[in-house]
Amino acid sequence: MLLSLANAFIKRPVLTTVCSIVIVLLGTISMAMLPLDKLPEIAPKKVAVTANYIGADAKTTEDNVTTVLEREINGTEQVRWIDSFTDNTGNVSVNVTFPTEMNRNTAQVLVQNRVSQAQSTLPSVVNQAGIRTNTQSPSLTLVYGFYAENGPNGKPIYDKTFIYNYVDRYISNEMKGLPGVGSVGLFGGANYAMRIWLEPDKLAARGLTALDVVAIINEQNFEVGIGRIGQQPAPPEQQFEFPLRVAGRFTNVEEAENMVVKVGEDGTLIRIGDVGRAELGMENYDTLVDVDGQPGVAFLIYQLPGSNALETAQAAKDKMAQLEPSFPPGLKVIVGLDNTLFVEEQHGPLGIFFRWFNRCFEFIRGGYRRFVTFLTHIKIIVMAIFIGGLIATWWIYTTMPSGFIPAEDQGYFFALTEAPPGVSLNYTYAIDQQTTKIVQNMENADQVLDHVINLTGFSFEGRNANKSLTFIKLRPWEERPGPQKSAFGIIQNLNRSFAQQISGARVFAANAPPVDGLSSFEGSEIFIQDRQLKGMNALIDNTQRVIAAANKRPEIGRTFTTFTFNSPLITMSIDREKAKAQNVDIQDILRTLQTYIGSNFVNQFVFEGRLYRVYAQAEAEDRDNPEDIGRLYVRSRDGTMVQLSNLVTPERTTYPPILTRFKTYPAIKLIASPAPGYSSGQVIKVMEEVANEVLQPGFGYEWTNTAAEEKTSGGAAPIVFGLAFVMVFLVLAAQYESYVDPTIILLTVPLAILGALGAIWLRVAFVQTAPFNPGNGIWPILNNDMYAQVALVMLIGLAAKNAILIVEFANQARALGMTIAQAAISAAEERLRPILMTAVSSLVGFAPLLSASSVGAVSRWSLGTAIFGGLALATVLSLVLVPILYIVIKNFEKYILEGGKKPPKPPGKSRRKSKKTFVTPVEKEEEVTPIFKASSQND
C-alpha cells in the first residue's frame, strides 16, 4: 500500500525497537510534565479589578466608581464580556472575561492600562485605598479552617482578630510562594487596624468635632526621612556621620490615645483618650466565620491555571504540616474543602473471558455464514433497513436533549443563606449557627459529613449583612455508598430540612459547578439587562416576570436569583440653604457623616514591622439607631457647634444592597436548573422562549459562564464529528487509492451514533427513571453532553475498524478470482473471529463505566453508555450490513461507474425453475480456496 510502513519495520527490527523505546520515553516524560486536573483548561481567562469606596452605599459606589471603571475597560482588546458587583460596604469587583487561549499576563496588562486611565476621575478616597488588578485563579483547590480551642472559661483562647492576622502574617506568605498557587483568600476578619472610636457627646462638650481628630492624626502621625548628621557635603575636619530617625508614627494603643487634640484655655490637654478610645482592631467587621461551629477564619487557596492540581495541593498540605508545629498553643486547623480528592480517585477493573467463545465459535461461524448468504437474496430489504437506520439516527440526534458537562458528586457542596433585607450581621450569624446544627444532625451525618465552614456576610456577588455562604465537605466516596449518601441525595434531604426548620431566612444547598471558574454553583446563569436604563424598579419587575413564567414550565425545576430586590435604605437630605445660612460647609457635613458612621481611613501606623491603617469612627452605641445621626455636631466657619438635626433630614426608602451589571448594563442574574428528566440544553431553550415572551421593550438577556460556553460549543459538535469523519475518509481513500472502499467502510459509522444515543435513551427510560431504581430522581439524567460527544468521535475509529477488516479481505478474495458476492461472504466469515474478539474485549473493558460509582460516576456513565451502545450496535451492523453494502456498491461501481456488462440471467422459463437450478454464491465460492496474504489493515 502507498502509505504502508510495515515492510520497513519488519525488515529492520532494531529500528523498530528503538522507535518503540523512544515513544515510551517521550510518553513517560510527557506524563510527568503535563498538568493533572479534573478537566482540561476550558474556563475563560478572567481579570478582576477591585476597589473600595469606604463607607459608601451600593448606588453611590456604582455611580462614582463602577461605571467609571467599566466605561474605560469596555472595548479592551479580545474581551468577551464584563460583569460587576457593587455592595453596600463600598466594595467593587469588575470582572473582565477573555477567551480561554488568551495569555493571562497579557490580559492583566491590557486591563491595568485601562484602569490607569480611569484613576484620575475616581474619588480620591478610592485611589487612597488602592485599586487592584489581578488575574483570577478559577480553581478553588483547598479551603482551610482555623479556630482556637476553648479555655477554662468555655470561650476560645484567641479572638478572630489574632487568628486572622496570624494566618495573614505567618501562613499566607508561605503559601503564596508555593509552585502552582495562583492566589489565596482570607475570610472571617481583616488586617490589623488602629481603630479610633469616638464619642460624639464628649467631643461636642469640648467644642470638638470628628474632623478635628482626623486633622490631628494627619498632623502628628506621619514619618519623614530627616537625613544624617555629618552627611556630605561636610567640612574637611568632619570625622563622624550618624543617621537620624524620628518616631513620627504611633506604634501602640497608648501612644494613639495620648495624642493631644486640643489645649484648653487653662492649659488643659485634651487627648484622644478623653473623647474616645483607641483599639488594635480590624479594618472592617463585615464577615464572620464558623469552623464546625467554632469562631474562626477561612483560608482559601486557588490553583494557578495550567499547573498540576495534585502537586499544588500536596505542596500546600506539606507546607501546612511543616508550619503546624509552630502554631501558638491551642490554634487548630482543618481541611474544610479539598478539590483534588476528585482527581485522585480512580476506578476501572477489566476482565476478559473467551473460553466459552472458543468452544462455541465453529457453531457461531457456520450460522453466521448461512445468515449472510440469506441476506444476499434480500438485499433490497437490507438496504431499506439501512436507510431506515440512517433516518432513525438523524431523528434521535435532533431530538435527544443536549447538555454541556454533567454535574458530579465532587465531595463538597455549598449552602447559601439569604436573610430578610435590612437585618444585621448578628441576625444572619444566628441563622448560620442554625444551619450548621441542621447539617451536623442530618441523617447519617456521622457517615457522610466531614466539616462545615460558614462565611457570614459573604456571597458570590458581594458582601452584605443578610448574605452567607457555607462550605460543606463530605467524607470520602467509599465511605458513603448509595444515592442517598451522595452529594445529590444529601442536597435534596438538606433542602427539605432547611425549608421545614428555618423560617427566618431562605437557606438552600447547591452543588459545586462541574467546571471550576465557569460558575459559582450548578445551574444555567442568565442576566436580565436594562439596556435602555429604564430604572431599577422596571428591571426588578421584568426579572420577576421571567422568574414567574419560567417556574411554570415543566422543563424548569427551579429558577431563582440571589439578588436582593429591596433592602431598607435611609437617604440623608441636606438643607443646603440652612447650611449656608449658618456658615456650615457642605463638605464638612459630608465628611462628618463619613467619619462617624462609615469610618474614615486617616493614614497608617507601624505595628510589628508592618504598616497598617488608621480608622476613625463613632462608637457602636452612637450609631446603632437612625436618630443618632441628628445628635452629631459640625462646626461652622465662625466656630459655632451646629447639630446635624438642623441641617439633614433622613428619609426611609428601599434599594438593592448589591448591584450587578453585565456588559456595562444594569442587570440581575438568574439561575435556572432543569426538572428531573430534562437537560441544561432544554433549560437554555425554554429560558430564551420565556424571556422573548415576557420581557418588555428596552430589556434583554445574555447567558454567562457555563451556559454561555454551552451555547458557544453547541454547534461545534457536528462540525468536529464531521471533520473527523472527513479526515478518516480521506486517509482511507489515500490508503486504498479508491473513494469507493472508504465509502463502504464509513457508511456504517452513522449507525454507531444510533447505538450510542439509543443506549443513553434506553438507560434513562428503563434504568435511571425506573421505579425500582433507588437513585431515581437523585442522580442527574444523562443526555447528549460533552462526554457523549467525545464517545461519538471515538466511535468513528471503533466502528470503522470492523468494516476495514471485511473490505480488505474481500478485495483480496476478488483478486484471487472470486465474484463480488463470494468475496463479501468469505471475507465476513473469515474476519468474524477477530471482529468478535476485539469487540467483546473492548465492550468488557468499557463495561465498568456503565456501573461506575464513587467519584466521576455521572461522567463515566455518559461516556461508557455511549461507547458501549455505539460499539455494540456498530459491531452487529458491520457484520450484517458491510457484506451487503460491499456487494451493492461494488456492483454499482462495476456495472455503472466502470460501464461493465451485467451478468446473464440464469436459464429457465419460470422463476420456480430458475430457483431449482440456481447456484448459490456459497456453492461457487467453495470451488476456489483463496490464500489470504498479510496486510497492515488487518491489525
Side-chain angles (χ1 to χ4, degrees):
M1 293 294 178
L2 177 65
L3 300 180
S4 177
L5 299 176
N7 291 336
F9 286 101
I10 292 173
K11 294 177 180 179
R12 302 182 64 183
V14 175
L15 174 64
T16 303
T17 57
V18 169
C19 291
S20 300
I21 294 172
V22 170
I23 291 172
V24 171
L25 288 175
L26 291 175
T28 304
I29 295 171
S30 300
M31 184 171 62
M33 295 179 63
L34 285 174
L36 183 63
D37 210 336
K38 288 190 297 186
L39 291 167
E41 190 177 338
I42 59 178
K45 299 292 192 305
K46 290 189 177 183
V47 177
V49 180
T50 56
N52 182 247
Y53 195 175
I54 298 173
D57 69 289
K59 179 60 176 173
T60 302
T61 308
E62 183 185 58
D63 292 341
N64 292 275
V65 182
T66 310
T67 56
V68 174
L69 291 172
E70 283 187 347
R71 282 196 299 269
E72 288 294 342
I73 296 171
N74 189 32
T76 303
E77 181 182 352
Q78 297 190 50
V79 168
R80 292 185 61 187
W81 66 72
I82 301 172
D83 61 279
S84 64
F85 306 99
T86 310
D87 61 37
N88 268 344
T89 64
N91 286 317
V92 175
S93 178
V94 180
N95 304 304
V96 188
T97 302
F98 291 86
T100 304
E101 62 274 11
M102 184 74 172
N103 181 276
R104 62 199 304 265
N105 295 323
T106 303
Q108 181 180 6
V109 171
L110 291 174
V111 175
Q112 180 64 60
N113 291 340
R114 295 299 187 103
V115 171
S116 299
Q117 297 173 13
Q119 286 182 291
S120 61
T121 55
L122 292 173
S124 59
V125 66
V126 175
N127 288 320
Q128 181 187 12
I131 303 172
R132 296 177 178 86
T133 303
N134 298 310
T135 56
Q136 282 189 325
S137 300
S139 298
L140 178 58
T141 305
L142 291 168
V143 175
Y144 283 101
F146 291 85
Y147 66 97
E149 292 180 335
N150 290 335
N153 60 356
K155 296 182 179 180
I157 58 177
Y158 304 117
D159 62 14
K160 65 176 182 178
T161 305
F162 172 84
I163 299 175
Y164 183 100
N165 283 276
Y166 181 86
V167 175
D168 177 60
R169 293 172 68 96
Y170 301 109
I171 297 176
S172 179
N173 288 336
E174 294 281 353
M175 293 297 180
K176 288 178 181 178
L178 295 177
V181 173
S183 61
V184 299
L186 196 53
F187 296 90
N191 287 333
Y192 280 129
M194 186 63 71
R195 303 300 305 233
I196 308 298
W197 301 113
L198 302 175
E199 298 185 46
D201 292 339
K202 290 184 177 180
L203 284 167
R206 291 164 173 81
L208 294 171
T209 68
L211 300 184
D212 295 330
V213 177
V214 171
I216 288 297
I217 296 174
N218 275 320
E219 174 198 344
Q220 300 183 24
N221 184 53
F222 72 100
E223 285 184 341
V224 294
I226 59 176
R228 303 184 303 276
I229 293 292
Q231 69 182 19
Q232 296 296 325
E237 62 275 10
Q238 184 73 32
Q239 298 298 311
F240 57 86
E241 180 178 302
F242 299 111
L244 298 178
R245 180 172 61 198
V246 60
R249 298 182 191 270
F250 52 72
T251 60
N252 54 51
V253 170
E254 291 74 21
E255 292 179 3
E257 288 186 342
N258 287 330
M259 193 172 291
V260 177
V261 181
K262 182 180 178 181
V263 179
E265 294 180 359
D266 58 355
T268 303
L269 300 180
I270 301 174
R271 306 176 187 274
I272 287 181
D274 298 325
V275 294
R277 63 186 176 91
E279 178 192 29
L280 183 62
M282 297 187 295
E283 288 186 4
N284 64 73
Y285 299 81
D286 296 330
T287 61
L288 298 171
V289 166
D290 268 9
V291 179
D292 290 334
Q294 287 282 97
V297 301
F299 182 63
L300 283 62
I301 298 178
Y302 294 87
Q303 174 194 346
L304 185 70
S307 61
N308 190 303
L310 290 181
E311 292 180 357
T312 301
Q314 191 58 49
K317 293 174 185 176
D318 293 343
K319 177 59 69 174
M320 190 65 74
Q322 177 186 344
L323 296 173
E324 193 169 358
S326 62
F327 286 3
L331 181 62
K332 301 297 181 181
V333 61
I334 59 99
V335 179
L337 184 151
D338 186 351
N339 211 359
T340 61
L341 296 178
F342 187 86
V343 185
E344 289 178 343
E345 296 285 336
Q346 296 181 7
H347 297 273
L350 301 178
I352 303 175
F353 305 95
F354 281 110
R355 293 182 181 178
W356 65 269
F357 180 80
N358 292 328
R359 290 195 297 266
C360 303
F361 177 69
E362 289 302 323
F363 173 78
I364 296 173
R365 177 177 178 176
Y368 172 66
R369 179 185 179 89
R370 290 188 294 273
F371 179 66
V372 173
T373 301
F374 168 74
L375 293 179
T376 62
H377 301 306
I378 56 170
K379 292 189 290 289
I380 295 178
I381 297 177
V382 174
M383 294 303 296
I385 295 174
F386 171 70
I387 295 172
L390 294 179
I391 296 173
T393 301
W394 172 83
W395 176 82
I396 197 170
Y397 187 84
T398 55
T399 58
M400 171 73 70
S402 63
F404 189 48
I405 295 178
E408 291 284 4
D409 177 351
Q410 300 186 50
Y412 73 96
F413 58 91
F414 308 110
L416 291 92
T417 299
E418 184 172 0
V423 300
S424 68
L425 192 68
N426 295 332
Y427 180 97
T428 310
Y429 181 69
I431 295 293
D432 277 347
Q433 290 180 313
Q434 190 176 356
T435 300
T436 299
K437 290 181 180 178
I438 293 174
V439 174
Q440 291 177 335
N441 296 320
M442 66 180 173
E443 184 180 1
N444 299 317
D446 58 329
Q447 303 174 29
V448 301
L449 180 64
D450 199 358
H451 295 291
V452 182
I453 297 180
N454 306 103
L455 276 63
T456 310
F458 176 83
S459 73
F460 289 117
E461 286 78 27
R463 297 183 180 184
N464 199 58
N466 75 322
K467 303 281 188 180
S468 177
L469 175 66
T470 301
F471 292 99
I472 301 173
K473 182 175 180 286
L474 302 176
R475 291 186 179 274
W477 290 265
E478 61 272 12
E479 297 182 22
R480 46 184 183 87
Q484 291 295 338
K485 295 180 182 178
S486 69
F488 304 105
I490 296 171
I491 288 172
Q492 288 187 4
N493 293 332
L494 278 180
N495 280 332
R496 285 193 291 267
S497 299
F498 291 152
Q500 294 169 1
Q501 300 180 39
I502 299 179
S503 58
R506 182 167 67 104
V507 182
F508 63 93
N511 198 12
V515 182
D516 294 331
L518 272 185
S519 296
S520 301
F521 43 84
E522 182 187 357
S524 300
E525 297 172 310
I526 184 173
F527 275 102
I528 306 301
Q529 298 171 297
D530 179 7
R531 295 179 176 174
Q532 293 184 4
L533 304 181
K534 299 283 188 177
M536 182 56 65
N537 290 333
L539 176 59
I540 292 174
D541 178 65
N542 277 266
T543 302
Q544 291 175 329
R545 290 168 180 261
V546 173
I547 294 174
N551 284 327
K552 294 178 181 178
R553 296 292 296 263
E555 301 92 341
I556 305 295
R558 180 179 62 168
T559 300
F560 67 97
T561 181
T562 58
F563 187 91
T564 302
F565 292 129
N566 288 300
S567 181
L569 176 70
I570 298 177
T571 301
M572 304 302 298
S573 299
I574 301 176
D575 192 328
R576 298 175 183 270
E577 294 180 356
K578 284 186 177 180
K580 290 300 180 184
Q582 298 186 48
N583 291 322
V584 176
D585 290 333
I586 303 298
Q587 184 179 10
D588 287 348
I589 297 175
L590 296 174
R591 292 178 60 201
T592 298
L593 289 171
Q594 177 193 21
T595 303
Y596 277 133
I597 308 300
S599 81
N600 191 330
F601 169 31
V602 185
N603 50 28
Q604 296 174 309
F605 78 107
V606 177
F607 178 68
E608 294 184 351
R610 291 177 61 175
L611 277 177
Y612 293 99
R613 295 180 176 182
V614 179
Y615 288 91
Q617 191 175 14
E619 284 279 13
E621 57 269 19
D622 293 314
R623 50 183 170 80
D624 60 358
N625 193 300
E627 296 178 358
D628 292 332
I629 298 174
R631 292 196 291 267
L632 302 178
Y633 285 86
V634 63
R635 184 187 295 110
S636 66
R637 287 191 294 272
D638 55 15
T640 305
M641 301 296 289
V642 179
Q643 199 168 27
L644 287 185
S645 59
N646 299 319
L647 304 176
V648 298
T649 304
E651 297 177 1
R652 295 180 180 270
T653 182
T654 59
Y655 206 76
I658 300 177
L659 301 177
T660 54
R661 300 169 66 88
F662 190 77
K663 293 188 175 179
T664 72
Y665 295 115
I668 297 176
K669 183 168 69 174
L670 306 181
I671 299 95
S673 301
Y678 294 93
S679 70
S680 59
Q682 292 171 299
V683 168
I684 291 175
K685 180 180 178 182
V686 168
M687 290 298 295
E688 290 180 348
E689 292 176 357
V690 168
N692 290 327
E693 290 173 3
V694 305
L695 286 180
Q696 297 175 336
F699 294 88
Y701 63 87
E702 288 278 356
W703 292 102
T704 186
N705 294 331
T706 303
E709 297 299 324
E710 183 173 349
K711 284 273 294 181
T712 302
S713 63
I719 297 174
V720 171
F721 185 85
L723 286 175
F725 189 91
V726 169
M727 290 304 299
V728 172
F729 177 85
L730 294 176
V731 170
L732 290 174
Q735 184 84 17
Y736 285 104
E737 281 293 332
S738 168
Y739 290 107
V740 175
D741 289 348
T743 301
I744 300 171
I745 292 170
L746 294 180
L747 273 177
T748 57
V749 171
L751 297 183
I753 300 176
L754 177 63
L757 300 184
I760 292 177
W761 180 84
L762 290 172
R763 179 165 190 153
V764 171
F766 298 102
V767 178
Q768 282 198 298
T769 59
F772 62 82
N773 186 357
N776 183 11
I778 296 179
W779 297 109
I781 298 298
L782 299 186
N783 52 59
N784 185 17
D785 56 31
M786 182 175 289
Y787 290 101
Q789 292 165 12
V790 169
L792 298 184
V793 176
M794 293 175 61
L795 284 171
I796 296 176
L798 293 172
K801 69 178 182 61
N802 295 333
I804 289 173
L805 293 175
I806 295 176
V807 170
E808 174 73 9
F809 267 66
N811 287 341
Q812 292 186 18
R814 287 191 65 198
L816 295 175
M818 286 189 179
T819 64
I820 293 175
Q822 291 173 339
I825 296 172
S826 179
E829 180 186 8
E830 288 296 326
R831 305 318 296 159
L832 175 64
R833 185 185 188 94
I835 288 174
L836 289 179
M837 291 186 69
T838 56
V840 171
S841 61
S842 298
L843 292 173
V844 172
F846 293 134
L849 297 176
L850 301 177
S851 57
S853 60
S854 184
V855 60
V858 181
S859 301
R860 287 183 285 167
W861 293 347
S862 181
L863 179 66
T865 303
I867 291 181
F868 192 94
L871 180 58
L873 186 62
T875 300
V876 173
L877 293 181
S878 63
L879 291 172
V880 173
L881 291 177
V882 170
I884 306 304
L885 288 172
Y886 187 88
I887 294 172
V888 172
I889 295 175
K890 284 294 185 179
N891 278 319
F892 177 80
E893 177 189 30
K894 179 178 181 181
Y895 298 113
I896 303 298
L897 299 180
E898 296 178 359
K901 296 181 179 180
K902 293 184 179 181
K905 293 182 180 180
K909 296 181 179 180
S910 67
R911 181 172 298 181
R912 183 181 299 273
K913 192 171 181 179
S914 66
K915 284 185 179 180
K916 293 180 180 179
T917 59
F918 178 75
V919 181
T920 67
V922 178
E923 293 169 346
K924 286 190 174 184
E925 184 265 337
E926 290 174 351
E927 299 173 2
V928 180
T929 303
I931 301 175
F932 295 104
K933 57 185 178 180
S935 168
S936 61
Q937 294 298 317
N938 299 338
D939 298 329

